Every structure is written in C-alpha cells, then in structure tokens.
Amino acid sequence: HLKNREDKLHELAIKDNLTGRYNRHFFYEVIEREIARIERSNEVVSFIMIDLDGLKQINDNLGHLTGDKILVECAELINKTARKSDIVFRFGGDEFLVLLANADCEKTTVMIKRLLEKTQKWNMENAEEYGCRLSFSIGCSTCKNCHEILKTLNEADKRMYQNKKYRKNKINVLL
C-alpha cells in the first residue's frame, strides 16, 4: 500500500496534471541522464520546442475550459507523433518540448513534418467542433556534444520564437 502511494506521489511530481505529459521539473532529471548517455555512446540528441499559437486568443474568445481541452488535444497530438523513444514534456503554459534521443536533423525534420500533417488533419476533423484551428510555432536544434546540451535547448527555443514572430499575424480562432 505504501509503495503504491509512493509511486502515485512520484507520478504527481513528474507529470503535468492537465495534459499527462512530463513536466519541466522532470526534464531536469532526465537531462542529467541524457548527458551521461551521450558521453558514453557518442550519440546525438535533438530538441523540438513547440508553442501552441493563439492560446490567449482561444481562452479569451472560447473560454479557459476550451483552452484546456485544446492543450490536452495538442499534448496527445504531439505524443502520438513522437517515437516511443522520444520524451514529451509540457515545458510551459502553451509550450511543449520533445527530447529526441539519437535523432539527427533529418529524423527531427521527419517528426516535425509528421506533426504538421497530423495538425492539418486535426483541423479538418475538429476545427469546427472546437471553434478554433491548431497551429504551432516550432524550433529545433541538434546536439552532438553533451557539454553544449543546454545551449542546444536554448537554440531550439530561440528558433521557435523566431518562427512565432514570423507567423504572428495568423488568426486561430474561428468566429
């Protein structure tokens, strides 16, 4: 009984309670293990930073409950797109991070393309029901040197914000 309770508490500590994805706190635990793995294996690691465009607009126009449903939908969409070996985190309010172990730029690009295709499909099937369309600002970066892993994460974040700035005038809410 105590073991089950301890497991449940650990689960609550490492997962976002809305989306069920790992949280930022757990990311910092995982990254330490990734650094050690990269040092041993000489593999690469990639990050994909994903920001849901227009969440504030969705919340303002459709309500926070719909905004929460959209966040859950996004988390599921990203998780279903990721490989089994990838780890998906809810990194911030409307930001998700995917850690791709042993994935170079080509594999990372493939995942991004799959995510965009699945997003288009989601929009065709669900936009009218939810009253909004999904779109993401995405940035990615690949690291071959474990000593620069946080710099690589920062680069993915920077690229995501560049993408967001470029796409700033896109309207997501269907009125």
Side-chain angles (χ1 to χ4, degrees):
H1 178 66
L2 287 176
K3 177 68 173 140
N4 286 343
R5 194 171 210 187
E6 189 177 300
D7 290 346
K8 181 71 172 166
L9 284 174
H10 182 258
E11 185 85 3
L12 289 171
I14 65 172
K15 289 208 174 170
D16 173 62
N17 65 344
L18 177 65
T19 64
R21 298 300 100 217
Y22 291 110
N23 61 27
R24 190 176 191 149
H25 169 77
F26 187 61
F27 167 78
Y28 291 108
E29 286 184 35
V30 169
I31 204 65
E32 294 298 321
R33 283 183 262 158
E34 277 303 299
I35 289 170
R37 187 188 62 74
I38 292 167
E39 285 178 340
R40 285 190 314 272
S41 65
N42 241 3
E43 292 177 357
V44 297
V45 65
S46 291
F47 295 105
I48 301 174
M49 188 68 80
I50 304 165
D51 183 89
L52 171 61
D53 295 326
L55 181 62
K56 181 184 180 338
Q57 199 176 16
I58 291 168
N59 285 335
D60 289 351
N61 291 307
L62 303 172
H64 286 86
L65 291 178
T66 299
D68 285 352
K69 287 179 185 177
I70 293 297
L71 282 169
V72 170
E73 290 283 324
C74 289
E76 282 301 307
L77 192 66
I78 294 165
N79 196 56
K80 287 178 181 175
T81 304
R83 304 171 305 172
K84 289 192 187 298
S85 60
D86 300 335
I87 306 172
V88 179
F89 301 89
R90 183 173 179 201
F91 210 63
D94 59 356
E95 293 177 355
F96 295 90
L97 174 68
V98 183
L99 187 152
L100 299 93
N102 198 22
D104 56 14
C105 289
E106 185 178 323
K107 289 178 184 172
T108 304
T109 302
V110 167
M111 188 201 156
I112 291 170
K113 286 179 181 178
R114 277 196 329 258
L115 177 60
L116 295 174
E117 288 168 3
K118 287 185 178 193
T119 302
Q120 286 179 334
K121 184 178 181 202
W122 188 96
N123 285 332
M124 288 188 301
E125 295 171 356
N126 299 289
E128 195 171 318
E129 174 187 342
Y130 280 88
C132 62
R133 297 177 56 79
L134 296 184
S135 74
F136 299 112
S137 296
I138 300 172
C140 65
S141 189
T142 300
C143 179
K144 295 176 183 161
N145 180 342
C146 65
H147 301 291
E148 296 186 4
I149 200 162
L150 293 179
K151 182 179 174 185
T152 303
L153 172 62
N154 195 42
E155 185 65 28
D157 193 45
K158 181 179 156 186
R159 289 177 180 167
M160 184 265 302
Y161 277 107
Q162 288 171 339
N163 183 253
K164 188 165 202 64
K165 184 178 177 182
Y166 173 75
R167 300 161 42 87
K168 190 68 175 168
N169 294 325
K170 187 168 181 73
I171 305 280
N172 295 322
V173 176
L174 303 177
L175 298 173

